[in-house]
Amino acid sequence: EISLNDWTRFIDTLSKISSKAAADMRAFIIKGGGYANIPANELIDYAYALATKYGEASATLSAMMYDDIAFLSEAAVPAAIPAATASYGDVAKTIEGSAKFSENVDYLSEVVGRLVKQAGADTTLQNAIRDGAEVAWIPHGDTCMFCLTLASRGWQRASKKTIKNGHAEHIHSNCDCTYSVRFSESTKVEGYDPDEYLKIYQDAEGSTPKAKINYMRREAYALNKEKINEQKRAAYAKRKELESYEAEEIDVN
């Protein structure tokens, strides 16, 4: 069994890597006066540099975790190969596409964090496909209902259907959920209960997956309304404090 402590330590480290990339991107955009005031090539170049630097760290960490699980499972497989980080074209497409939706500095920064996280997920999936292993989407923290639904699928044999255009699907911003791998049915991740997640999904009202997930979201919000609002207020206050600090730094320089 992969203990909750070990899994949490792995997830927290992955989160710190992607969060650092997002924070660096955010500082760059603010210092440049906002998305509209930064030449597109400079913005993409910087995002690409971050996606490469931190993506390599994310992929390497995921490869280490993969090898640890393989070793403890006594699986006779080659050492995991870290996945390639996002290409320049992928970064450009992601940044330009995201900016059409929103030029908000937080949104664009989180996109870079997502590219970094994707390198880690790609590493797990690509090696699992190579080795014929099983993977599962493991929820963590304040899991969104979409991720909980994905987690309800349980352990599945990794295949090319798991990835799209060479990359892991389902990777979104502000999320600490990710894939785990196993080489034997006896391997478990402490706290991961796909049957429980499936029951939540099946009990949700709605005739389509989208309707069920939206119902689950409403139910979760109703139960955690105060906690969610407090988190939003804390995040807003922290963002304003950071903006004030960065503005002072820009004025001084």
Side-chain angles (χ1 to χ4, degrees):
E1 182 177 76
I2 302 170
S3 73
L4 184 59
N5 284 339
D6 286 343
W7 184 255
T8 299
R9 185 162 53 248
F10 167 61
I11 292 299
D12 286 349
T13 308
L14 277 180
S15 179
K16 288 177 181 178
I17 294 170
S18 59
S19 294
K20 184 62 169 64
D24 286 358
M25 190 66 190
R26 187 176 188 281
F28 177 79
I29 296 175
I30 290 177
K31 189 171 184 178
Y35 172 82
N37 295 312
I38 304 175
N41 65 307
E42 292 184 15
L43 189 73
I44 294 171
D45 286 348
Y46 195 76
Y48 175 65
L50 293 177
T52 301
K53 175 183 177 179
Y54 292 108
E56 288 176 350
S58 179
T60 299
L61 180 63
S62 296
M64 292 170 63
M65 185 63 165
Y66 188 99
D67 287 343
D68 284 347
I69 295 174
F71 174 77
L72 294 173
S73 303
E74 300 182 352
V77 296
I81 300 173
T85 57
S87 68
Y88 189 88
D90 285 340
V91 174
K93 183 179 179 180
T94 299
I95 293 294
E96 291 171 350
S98 299
K100 291 179 181 179
F101 179 78
S102 173
E103 295 182 5
N104 178 273
V105 63
D106 292 325
Y107 180 76
L108 294 176
S109 301
E110 290 161 2
V111 164
V112 176
R114 175 164 56 82
L115 289 172
V116 169
K117 181 186 175 185
Q118 189 173 58
D122 285 351
T123 297
T124 300
L125 289 182
Q126 290 173 13
N127 285 283
I129 292 172
R130 179 198 69 183
D131 298 332
E134 291 185 333
V135 292
W137 185 252
I138 310 296
H140 185 81
D142 294 328
T143 308
C144 73
M145 295 302 103
F146 180 70
C147 281
L148 202 67
T149 301
L150 294 177
S152 72
R153 295 178 177 178
W155 294 95
Q156 297 181 327
R157 183 74 63 182
S159 68
K160 291 183 178 180
K161 291 182 180 180
T162 318
I163 59 178
K164 185 178 182 180
N165 298 323
H167 295 296
E169 292 189 86
H170 320 312
I171 306 300
H172 61 87
S173 303
N174 298 316
C175 172
D176 288 333
C177 309
T178 194
Y179 287 102
S180 182
V181 64
R182 76 174 185 180
F183 302 88
S184 166
E185 290 185 2
S186 63
T187 300
K188 302 181 185 301
V189 177
E190 183 182 0
Y192 174 58
D193 190 348
D195 292 336
E196 177 186 348
Y197 312 142
L198 181 60
K199 185 177 187 308
I200 293 173
Y201 175 80
Q202 291 176 333
D203 290 346
E205 296 179 5
S207 57
T208 65
K210 182 177 180 179
K212 283 180 172 289
I213 291 173
N214 285 336
Y215 176 85
M216 291 161 62
R217 285 170 176 160
R218 291 192 298 270
E219 290 291 294
Y221 180 77
L223 289 173
N224 301 285
K225 183 177 180 179
E226 289 303 318
K227 179 181 178 182
I228 293 172
N229 288 338
E230 181 61 30
Q231 289 175 336
K232 288 181 178 179
R233 286 191 290 268
Y236 178 79
K238 184 177 181 180
R239 184 167 67 248
K240 285 299 179 182
E241 180 182 355
L242 183 59
E243 287 176 353
S244 175
Y245 170 77
E246 289 170 340
E248 290 175 4
E249 287 289 300
I250 293 170
D251 289 342
V252 171
N253 296 327

